[in-house]
Amino acid sequence: MRRRTGNTERALSPTAPRRRFGSNGDAQAPAGQTPAELNPASSLSKVLRQRELASRARTGNSRSSRKASAAANAVQAVASSARRVRPVATQVVIKPASVRSAQRSVGGGLHPLSNGQANAALRAYEERTLGAFDRVVPVLKRISALQHEPDFIAQAQRLALAELGHELPQPVLETAWTSQLDMRTLFAWCVFEAYEQTSLAFFNDDPLAAQAGSADAEAFNAFLLECGFHLLDITPCADGRLAHAIAYALRLPFSSVRRRSHAGAMFDVENTVDRWVKTEHRRYREGLPNPAHDDTRYLKVVVYHFSSKDPCHEGCAAHGSDDKAAAAQGLQRLKDFQQAVENSFCCGASVDLLLVGMDTDTDAIRVHVPGRDGSTNLDSWLDAHDVYEATRSLNADQGRQRIEEMVHSAAASTPDAGMVQLIARLIEHNLSQIDYVRQYHGSSYSDFGHAERFIGVGIGFKEVHLRNLTYFAYMDTVEEGAPDLDVGVKIFKGLNVSRGLPIPVVLRFDYHGAVPGARERAITHCERVKSAIEARYSDLCAQGLLHTLLTVRDRDRHMPAETVSSSITFNTGGGH
């Protein structure tokens, strides 16, 4: 008999072989691509109570939520019978009588400029995606109650496959009869599976109908140029309550916007200058998105946030929940970027600035309308709530005209016509989101604090466009991104660790597939950051209270993230 080797550690087995290239699954890489304690403590923290309220609202436990769900289903049924609904508010929609009736029953009448069909489509995407994460704990509780049944493994796998869409790791189930079921590992495994399914569906199905080349993206790109801007670069705060700022709050096609989230919206000036250089170089060399001699500008936007419900505690943590500080420091960072470009290239280089605030309780925005001379007034802004009330009794054409007048009047000095046109469009889009929150969340979110499902670390996550899905820590190295990451870990100590559940961390580094060796370097980058995270939070890792999933993605192709490894490993048996 052949002698067996000693005990060896077996890496994470593929939970989704189609997406884990290089694993033992059936699929291969494309050519050229090389929870312990689930019982909650006797007194839950505020954020946990908020998450339970939000989950209860989504599952429709109350009579009002059942009515809202039924009406939303009616809207969705009408929408699905026609061609795919575009979420972007610029779409001109002729609403059938049944749709208008469903909208009235949900929200008591929408604003004349609201896109009710887009709201229904976005609601369906929100429920489907967040539901995949929120089903994990209830399903694992049911599985925990079965662990002493004679056919436990078969029952557990059937339940997981039916409710979660995937099976559970066999080694964890097989050891349940000798010790307690390792719920921490199962929880992290299931969250990572939910993320992988989200990434796969986003890139394969285009649920937001906004990928590059789509009708909405092309229409907005043309509109942006018409306003005098050749690129829209937006930095929202990394807070998970702003993760949906592009696709929901502003209703913009994600492929038409350059988005980089940072804690407190404090973006890296040098990196942003580098991206400006690349944009201008492409205009000179390729004439994309327009020739360099065209009189257009690069528009840099900062989106800070505040809380109307609890302004002293639920504002931006990076600025101590101080709204004035968040706005002032955001504006200063914008000015630093503009000055850096002008100092490095020429005075009056093509950079414009825009400061926007967002209420994380209602998703209403407020815009500090700049003057043509670049001036911005921190103490004055145009609030979308005020616009909503001022235009709700007008028809669509009258409403749009009134919005432009209000934008012009709110400017710090004589405004640029193209900037007025763009801001008016952003506010018009936001009216749909105000109605969205009123329709489906009772005017304001019940989970008005943090309720993120996982931490995203690195560079990428193009597929994340949902509120409170991800706390994002943008970084190249843990050393430079430590403050952002520490905030995320602190948040999840309240959300998960307080209940004995681990912190799921998804690492992501995108690469350019056309560059030789880029994929391998991205994987090495993931592994280096993973090691740094394990060293920084060694106590959590040792207790199984922090798990990592390493992923990479070719940014030059419209494809899902590729999982390369995980901190979840299993020991295989050995011999003499």
Side-chain angles (χ1 to χ4, degrees):
M1 179 181 294
R2 186 176 62 179
R3 186 180 181 86
R4 291 184 295 174
T5 59
N7 288 351
T8 59
E9 189 178 53
R10 180 163 61 88
L12 175 72
S13 60
T15 61
R18 300 185 305 278
R19 305 189 296 284
R20 299 196 178 189
F21 305 130
S23 71
N24 293 327
D26 296 334
Q28 299 298 319
Q33 285 187 291
T34 21
E37 180 64 41
L38 278 175
N39 296 323
S42 57
S43 59
L44 297 177
S45 66
K46 179 176 67 175
V47 289
L48 297 178
R49 289 197 296 272
Q50 292 168 358
R51 177 181 281 184
E52 288 187 347
L53 288 172
S55 178
R56 191 175 301 125
R58 278 192 296 273
T59 53
N61 288 338
S62 67
R63 179 182 305 173
S64 61
S65 60
R66 285 196 298 270
K67 289 181 179 179
S69 177
N73 289 339
V75 175
Q76 186 64 18
V78 173
S80 63
S81 65
R83 62 184 179 86
R84 183 180 349 201
V85 176
R86 298 177 186 169
V88 179
T90 55
Q91 180 189 11
V92 178
V93 178
I94 300 176
K95 302 174 184 177
S98 57
V99 174
R100 295 195 298 268
S101 176
Q103 291 170 355
R104 285 195 297 270
S105 66
V106 174
L110 302 181
H111 190 282
L113 292 172
S114 282
N115 189 332
Q117 286 187 317
N119 282 0
L122 290 172
R123 175 60 171 176
Y125 178 64
E126 177 189 22
E127 289 186 315
R128 182 170 64 251
T129 305
L130 293 184
F133 290 88
D134 294 344
R135 284 193 298 271
V136 170
V137 167
V139 170
L140 290 182
K141 284 184 177 182
R142 293 169 62 186
I143 288 174
S144 178
L146 298 172
Q147 61 184 297
H148 299 299
E149 295 292 326
D151 58 344
F152 162 65
I153 294 178
Q155 287 193 55
Q157 296 290 32
R158 282 196 299 269
L159 181 57
L161 192 59
E163 297 291 332
L164 303 177
H166 61 82
E167 293 188 336
L168 301 176
Q170 194 80 0
V172 176
L173 303 182
E174 289 173 345
T175 60
W177 71 277
T178 60
S179 61
Q180 286 294 318
L181 192 59
D182 186 356
M183 303 306 293
R184 292 178 179 176
T185 296
L186 290 181
F187 175 81
W189 179 282
C190 292
V191 170
F192 292 154
E193 276 287 346
Y195 160 72
E196 290 179 320
Q197 292 172 1
T198 297
S199 181
L200 184 69
F202 180 85
F203 287 100
N204 288 352
D205 302 336
D206 190 23
L208 299 179
Q211 67 184 30
S214 65
D216 288 324
E218 292 297 315
F220 182 76
N221 293 342
F223 169 75
L224 194 64
L225 285 172
E226 179 186 329
C227 293
F229 304 107
H230 55 259
L231 192 135
L232 181 56
D233 182 347
I234 301 180
T235 293
C237 179
D239 190 306
R241 294 170 294 175
L242 277 76
H244 66 315
I246 304 301
Y248 281 69
L250 299 177
R251 301 292 172 94
L252 299 176
F254 64 85
S255 61
S256 300
V257 179
R258 177 177 288 170
R259 178 188 66 164
R260 289 288 177 91
S261 301
H262 291 267
M266 295 290 97
F267 61 90
D268 186 285
V269 173
E270 288 78 7
N271 284 345
T272 307
V273 170
D274 288 342
R275 291 196 294 274
W276 176 86
V277 170
K278 292 178 181 178
T279 299
E280 300 308 311
H281 181 267
R282 192 179 188 200
R283 294 179 68 214
Y284 273 99
R285 293 299 301 249
E286 303 177 43
L288 295 173
N290 64 340
H293 56 76
D294 285 359
D295 186 20
T296 57
R297 289 94 67 202
Y298 182 112
L299 179 58
K300 180 64 186 176
V301 183
V302 155
V303 181
Y304 69 93
H305 64 101
F306 58 96
S307 169
S308 57
K309 278 187 174 181
D310 192 357
C312 296
H313 301 95
E314 296 297 347
C316 183
H319 299 291
S321 288
D322 186 333
D323 302 348
K324 291 184 177 180
Q329 293 183 37
L331 179 59
Q332 186 59 52
R333 191 58 58 100
L334 287 170
K335 289 181 176 179
D336 290 345
F337 164 62
Q338 185 180 56
Q339 184 175 350
V341 171
E342 292 183 353
N343 288 350
S344 302
F345 298 91
C346 64
C347 182
S350 56
V351 172
D352 273 10
L353 312 175
L354 181 61
L355 183 66
V356 177
M358 179 173 161
D359 180 2
T360 54
D361 301 327
T362 65
D363 284 348
I365 63 171
R366 61 190 192 192
V367 184
H368 299 260
V369 183
R372 183 182 298 165
D373 58 2
S375 58
T376 295
N377 190 342
L378 288 172
D379 298 320
S380 176
W381 55 76
L382 181 58
D383 193 308
H385 275 308
D386 295 337
V387 176
Y388 188 104
E389 295 303 323
T391 58
R392 66 185 308 171
S393 61
L394 305 177
N395 63 37
D397 291 336
Q398 292 171 336
R400 292 190 178 98
Q401 181 178 350
R402 178 64 179 137
I403 292 174
E404 287 205 14
E405 293 171 355
M406 294 179 74
V407 172
H408 196 281
S409 298
S413 63
T414 302
D416 172 76
M419 182 69 81
V420 170
Q421 190 177 4
L422 176 61
I423 292 174
R425 181 67 61 87
L426 296 180
I427 290 177
E428 178 185 335
H429 288 184
N430 190 239
L431 300 181
S432 289
Q433 186 62 14
I434 292 174
D435 271 340
Y436 179 91
V437 177
R438 292 181 177 183
Q439 280 181 283
Y440 303 113
H441 297 278
S443 295
S444 63
Y445 292 104
S446 56
D447 57 340
F448 57 90
H450 289 280
E452 292 92 338
R453 276 66 174 181
F454 65 91
I455 297 177
V457 172
I459 301 172
F461 294 99
K462 187 176 183 178
E463 65 269 44
V464 174
H465 291 280
L466 286 170
R467 182 182 185 276
N468 263 340
L469 174 59
T470 311
Y471 174 87
F472 183 58
Y474 171 84
M475 66 179 69
D476 279 319
T477 65
V478 169
E479 290 77 15
E480 69 173 356
D484 288 6
L485 187 55
D486 287 345
V487 171
V489 170
K490 181 180 179 181
I491 290 169
F492 273 81
K493 282 183 177 179
L495 293 174
N496 287 18
V497 175
S498 64
R499 294 189 292 166
L501 297 175
I503 303 172
V505 179
V506 178
L507 278 69
R508 169 77 160 275
F509 286 95
D510 290 356
Y511 63 92
H512 289 285
V515 179
R519 177 180 176 275
E520 289 70 26
R521 287 189 290 273
I523 293 173
T524 300
H525 205 161
C526 274
E527 293 169 343
R528 183 167 58 247
V529 172
K530 175 198 172 194
S531 297
I533 289 175
E534 291 175 342
R536 188 174 186 86
Y537 309 108
S538 57
D539 55 335
L540 292 173
C541 294
Q543 300 174 65
L545 288 172
L546 190 151
H547 278 293
T548 55
L549 182 75
L550 279 62
T551 68
V552 297
R553 194 183 78 85
D554 183 352
R555 68 177 65 191
D556 295 334
R557 302 173 60 193
H558 190 78
M559 59 182 296
E562 172 193 352
T563 294
V564 294
S565 66
S566 169
S567 62
I568 301 177
T569 57
F570 307 110
N571 291 325
T572 58
H576 296 291

